[in-house]
Each structure stands twice: as C-alpha cells, then as structure tokens.
Amino acid sequence: MSLPVIAIVIPCYNEEEALPISVARLTELLDRMSAEELASPESYIMCSNDGSRDRTWNVITELHAADKRVKGISLAHNRGHQYALLAGLMAVRDRCDAAISIDADLQDDPEAIVKMVQEFRKGKEIVYGVRSSRASDTWFKRTTAHGFYSFQKMMGLNTIYDHADYRLMSNRALDMLSDYGESNLFLRGIIPQIGLDTAVVTYERHERVAGESKYPLAKMLSFSIDGITSFSSKPIRIIFMVGLILLLIDIGVAVYVLSAYFAHKTISGWTSIMMSVWFLGSIILMSIGIVGEYIGKIFIEVKHRPRFAVRDALWD
C-alpha cells in the first residue's frame, strides 16, 4: 500500500506572527511522519488566506519560496473562517488522499495529527479531534463553551461535543462535502451529516503560539445562531409552542375577566394591562426576529452567489 499524501489546511486571518512558528512545527511533523512511513514525502501544507489586512499573504509567499511543501491560496476579500477553511479544503481535494484542518494558532495539539493519520490508514474517512478536557480554560470560557454545545444539542443540531474544526477528511469525504452548496456555512454541522466511517482522537489544548484570538464571545454567539438557524427549524416550533401556551393563558384570563365583569368586581388595573402589553410585545418582537433570521438565510441562499473567490494561488 502506497503512503498517503496528507494536506494540512490552515485558514489564516491576520496570522503574520503565528504562521512562521506553526508552519515550522507542522513541516517538522510531516518530516517525522514521512521518516516513520506514515505519510508520503509529497505531503504538504495549504495556507488559506482570508483577505488578511496584515502581511499574512507576504509571509505565506516567503514560506512557499523557502519550502515548496508550503502552498497557499488567497481569497479576494475577507469571507470568514468557515469560508477560508472550505476554500482550502476544496483546493486540495484532488491533490491529496486526506486533508487535515487546523488553526494557525496551534492551540489544537499538532501531535494528534499522527493519531488521525493512523486512524485514516485503518479505514476511517473522517477523524474528529476532540478536546480531552477544558481544565486550562477560565470558568467563564468553560461555562459558555458548555452552554454553546448544550444549546446546539437542545436545538436539534448533530455536532460533536468539544470539537471545533480540527479534523481529518479523506478525499472521498471532501468530494461529498463539495456537494453541499449552502452559502450559510457551518461545517461542524455539515460534516457529521456526510456519514462514512468516523473516529475520534483526543488531545490537550494549548495556549496560542502567537497573536490573539479571532473568536471573542460576540463572534461565538453569532456563530452559534448561524449554526442553529442553518440546521434546525426547532426555534420556529418553539415560537408555535409559546404562542399555544399564551393562547391557553389568554383563554383562562378571558374567563376570569368575563366572570369578574358580570359579578361587578372589575377594577381598572393599569399595572396588569401594561405588564401584559409589554410581555406580549416582547414575545412578538422576539418571534419576528427568529422568523426574520430564517427569511434572511433564504434570501442569501436563493441568490446562489459564489461562496468565495480565489485571487492568488501558490502551488509549485
């Protein structure tokens, strides 16, 4: 059996500080896997530049000039992490046996790549990298992350707990991923739908090698909302159930009000009226917002616009 060609895909946005460190670490890992006859010497790294505003593309160009195993593509403008990752995966799918996605900060332990390739050689076509613990996180980060996954599960998403976008995919899995044409990308929700034979490897998460986090709380909340509204209609069902419960409450209130009216026990109640108006008004506005989120996604999807445009590419 010939050694598999492995492509390591790194989505990059303003990573000029981290890239030289992470690429050096990953090329050393490729050398080691090649020496141990785990992966082909033709294995390489693909850096997908997401329209960075710093010198990231210049750094990628310099790294490519120094080592041709470092490839690169640059998107025409900033599209976001998920689109940059997809662009990198689609660029390598016909030029590798399996692709491994990892962020440039190397918080996801690169040593797990060895385990992923071993699972791939055993016949697994998708291998998920999953954190073994969150002991290194702050209480706030740990609590919000657990809430993020629990809320997704409650809303009906089929995602892997404590898995980000660190995974191996065979070229067959990549071909199947290319058939998913939605513009509202949430790869953590799409990839479990592919099926095929899967495995999980665990690892300890480390500190960033350089730079700063690109996923503050506000982005994580937006990411979670995008994932839920892209893969689940459960929020709309919840609106219906809330409306049904309120209807039953309204019937009970109507019976009480009418009985009090005919018994001549009515009292002008400004407080109760105002509380009812504000409560129902907030429920209505919230419901309109949730429905609007879905309509907005439909609006984007029906246009069938390209999800990304590649401006430059570095191969040989």
Side-chain angles (χ1 to χ4, degrees):
M1 180 179 178
S2 60
L3 297 177
V5 175
I6 304 298
I8 301 177
V9 178
I10 310 174
C12 311
Y13 179 66
N14 294 345
E15 297 287 3
E16 63 175 337
E17 296 178 16
L19 266 180
I21 303 171
S22 54
V23 166
R25 177 92 178 270
L26 292 170
T27 49
E28 184 275 329
L29 183 65
L30 289 178
D31 288 337
R32 183 152 38 101
M33 289 197 298
S34 174
E36 295 173 357
E37 296 189 343
L38 188 61
S40 168
E42 297 178 4
S43 299
Y44 59 92
I45 298 168
M46 165 57 71
C47 300
S48 179
N49 178 40
D50 185 23
S52 298
R53 293 174 295 179
D54 62 1
R55 295 188 65 258
T56 295
W57 182 243
N58 292 335
V59 170
I60 295 171
T61 303
E62 293 164 4
L63 292 169
H64 173 73
D67 188 339
K68 295 303 180 183
R69 290 178 299 172
V70 181
K71 319 294 184 182
I73 59 170
S74 184
L75 304 190
H77 61 287
N78 177 249
R79 289 290 291 136
H81 177 274
Q82 297 289 280
Y83 295 92
L85 176 54
L86 181 69
L89 293 173
M90 293 300 100
V92 304
R93 69 187 176 106
D94 294 326
R95 305 185 188 214
C96 68
D97 296 302
I100 298 172
S101 55
I102 186 171
D103 288 341
D105 55 26
L106 293 193
Q107 284 187 287
D108 300 318
D109 186 3
E111 292 302 318
I113 290 175
V114 175
K115 299 178 185 177
M116 291 181 181
V117 175
Q118 288 171 342
E119 291 292 338
F120 171 68
R121 297 195 65 180
K122 292 176 185 176
K124 305 300 182 182
E125 301 208 57
I126 300 176
V127 184
Y128 298 104
V130 175
R131 294 182 62 171
S132 56
S133 73
R134 287 187 171 270
S136 60
D137 287 351
T138 63
W139 176 88
F140 180 76
K141 175 67 174 177
R142 184 164 55 249
T143 304
T144 53
H146 286 162
F148 173 76
Y149 289 107
S150 299
F151 187 59
Q152 285 185 339
K153 185 175 181 179
M154 185 176 67
M155 289 293 106
L157 266 72
N158 178 25
T159 54
I160 308 299
Y161 196 79
D162 273 347
H163 163 71
D165 285 299
Y166 188 24
R167 68 180 74 86
L168 175 147
M169 299 182 70
S170 68
N171 55 2
R172 182 163 75 132
L174 291 173
D175 286 339
M176 296 173 73
L177 175 62
S178 69
D179 292 333
Y180 288 78
E182 57 250 57
S183 296
N184 297 286
L185 275 182
F186 186 66
L187 294 175
R188 300 180 200 182
I190 293 174
I191 291 171
Q193 293 186 351
I194 293 175
L196 301 178
D197 290 333
T198 65
V200 169
V201 301
T202 58
Y203 63 92
E204 290 287 340
R205 193 165 170 85
H206 306 302
E207 295 294 324
R208 288 181 60 92
V209 294
E212 57 186 29
S213 174
K214 307 302 187 297
Y215 267 97
L217 179 60
K219 269 197 172 183
M220 286 299 295
L221 288 173
S222 175
F223 193 48
S224 181
I225 291 169
D226 281 343
I228 291 165
T229 52
S230 294
F231 283 89
S232 174
S233 60
K234 202 166 184 178
I236 292 181
R237 295 195 197 105
I238 291 174
I239 292 173
F240 173 76
M241 294 305 298
V242 169
L244 184 60
I245 291 168
L246 288 175
L247 175 62
L248 296 175
I249 293 173
D250 288 343
I251 292 172
V253 171
V255 171
Y256 169 75
V257 169
L258 288 173
S259 63
Y261 174 78
F262 288 114
H264 304 288
K265 295 180 181 178
T266 55
I267 300 172
S268 57
W270 181 86
T271 303
S272 59
I273 292 173
M274 291 301 294
M275 287 181 65
S276 299
V277 169
W278 280 95
F279 175 71
L280 291 174
S282 63
I283 292 294
I284 291 168
L285 288 174
M286 183 184 71
S287 303
I288 292 172
I290 292 174
V291 174
E293 187 75 25
Y294 282 93
I295 293 173
K297 281 182 163 45
I298 295 169
F299 175 74
I300 293 171
E301 292 291 348
V302 297
K303 293 178 181 295
H304 297 295
R305 289 175 175 170
R307 293 178 290 185
F308 54 82
V310 177
R311 183 188 63 193
D312 297 304
L314 300 172
W315 282 102
D316 298 322

